[in-house]
Amino acid sequence: MAEEIKINATLVFEITSKRHWINAFPGAIPELPKTEKYIWIDSKGNTANCGEDFMKADSAGTYPVKVYLLQRICHTEKNEYTEGLLKYLGL
């Protein structure tokens, strides 16, 4: 059984449809340093990781898919790295 969890993250992009996903990616969001991660969440709280998920989101009606930058523990304090990362992402 799936467990509902809470995470801290910053919204960086929203994908409104399968067509939007096809037209926008790759390249719609900046690549991240290896220590940083995005998480892609549909309107029902499920993750999207590959084309199969975006196809199913279309037929299941679970768009938009929102892309979040996961908040690491070291991001909880304002520092040069965090500020630089957010600036790099245009946030």
Side-chain angles (χ1 to χ4, degrees):
M1 174 180 241
E3 178 180 347
E4 188 172 320
I5 63 170
K6 179 184 174 194
I7 59 168
N8 294 316
T10 301
L11 179 64
V12 295
F13 196 78
E14 185 172 307
I15 304 164
T16 57
S17 67
K18 183 177 114 181
R19 176 63 43 206
H20 184 208
W21 171 70
I22 291 168
N23 291 336
F25 286 89
I29 54 177
E31 286 192 34
L32 292 172
K34 292 185 188 270
T35 57
E36 308 302 334
K37 302 286 183 235
Y38 290 122
I39 189 168
W40 308 55
I41 307 290
D42 74 359
S43 65
K44 301 288 184 186
N46 301 301
T47 63
N49 297 312
C50 63
E52 180 182 21
D53 294 323
F54 292 97
M55 300 280 288
K56 184 62 178 177
D58 191 50
S59 64
T62 61
Y63 277 97
V65 172
K66 295 182 179 183
V67 182
Y68 296 91
L69 171 67
L70 292 175
Q71 180 175 297
R72 296 174 44 220
I73 296 167
C74 68
H75 295 170
T76 59
E77 294 182 11
K78 283 283 187 188
N79 59 46
E80 288 181 25
Y81 176 79
T82 302
E83 290 173 2
L85 179 62
L86 295 175
K87 185 175 181 179
Y88 172 75
L89 294 173
L91 302 173

